[in-house]
Amino acid sequence: MIKRLFLFVLIFFLPFLLFAETILLYTITEASADDLEQFGDFIESGVMNEFFDAGHIIFNAAVSGFVPEVGLDHYKEPAYMQLAKAGGASFLLKVELVYSEVKGKSLPAYAGFQFIEVATGNLIKEGSVSIDKKWIDEGDFENGITAMGRSMASY
């Protein structure tokens, strides 16, 4: 009897133990296609790895160019909020990358971000990160950009 009760309790509560928050990583940049191809994935990789390590489910969407704050004509919210809701995300991490010329390369040297609760639209955190000078001095741009992403996720 005790075994059956234990099994029932375990089966009933197991889904609650496995629950993970879902996050949409929405990246906005006005960088060229070549710049995005060369360095764009590193910042997303840093953010996504940090959230995965913390047990969250994260998916991404990237937009190149200007993104209006209002949605389509019949929607009142921005496209990124519509996308987050359509994807079932609980939270949205909106990242705006600014590329700069660093040692002859166009790099995402600065990123502003907002962490938003999708259901309410409340801003939970916002901030910015820049590539650390030590990575630039060493010429290790990939690890520097990945570190920017990791610091955003653990901000």
Side-chain angles (χ1 to χ4, degrees):
M1 177 69 176
I2 292 177
K3 287 183 183 179
R4 286 186 184 171
L5 180 62
F6 176 74
L7 186 59
F8 173 75
V9 169
L10 181 67
I11 290 172
F12 181 75
F13 286 106
L14 189 60
F16 296 110
L17 298 174
L18 298 176
F19 181 73
E21 296 291 342
T22 306
I23 302 163
L24 168 62
L25 170 60
Y26 190 83
T27 308
I28 303 167
T29 185
E30 293 189 16
S32 71
D34 292 337
D35 293 339
L36 285 173
E37 186 176 313
Q38 189 171 12
F39 293 110
D41 291 342
F42 292 108
I43 199 151
E44 287 183 350
S45 176
V47 170
M48 294 179 90
N49 287 340
E50 195 71 19
F51 277 116
F52 280 137
D53 292 347
H56 300 289
I57 300 166
I58 185 165
F59 59 102
N60 65 330
V63 176
S64 181
F66 174 74
V67 177
E69 276 298 307
V70 293
L72 302 172
D73 291 337
H74 55 285
Y75 289 103
K76 293 182 179 167
E77 53 191 12
Y80 52 84
M81 285 299 282
Q82 295 171 32
L83 184 60
K85 286 179 179 179
S90 301
F91 297 97
L92 164 71
L93 179 61
K94 180 181 148 194
V95 178
E96 295 184 39
L97 293 178
V98 177
Y99 277 67
S100 300
E101 193 72 25
V102 179
K103 288 195 171 182
K105 294 183 184 257
S106 184
L107 301 174
Y110 171 85
F113 64 91
Q114 295 180 325
F115 194 65
I116 302 165
E117 184 178 16
V118 173
T120 63
N122 291 339
L123 179 66
I124 297 171
K125 271 198 189 239
E126 69 180 328
S128 61
V129 294
S130 299
I131 190 166
D132 194 322
K133 188 174 175 345
K134 85 170 188 174
W135 300 110
I136 294 171
D137 293 342
E138 294 174 8
D140 192 359
F141 304 122
E142 292 86 359
N143 282 327
I145 297 166
T146 302
M148 280 174 60
R150 281 192 165 295
S151 66
M152 260 189 287
S154 59
Y155 196 78

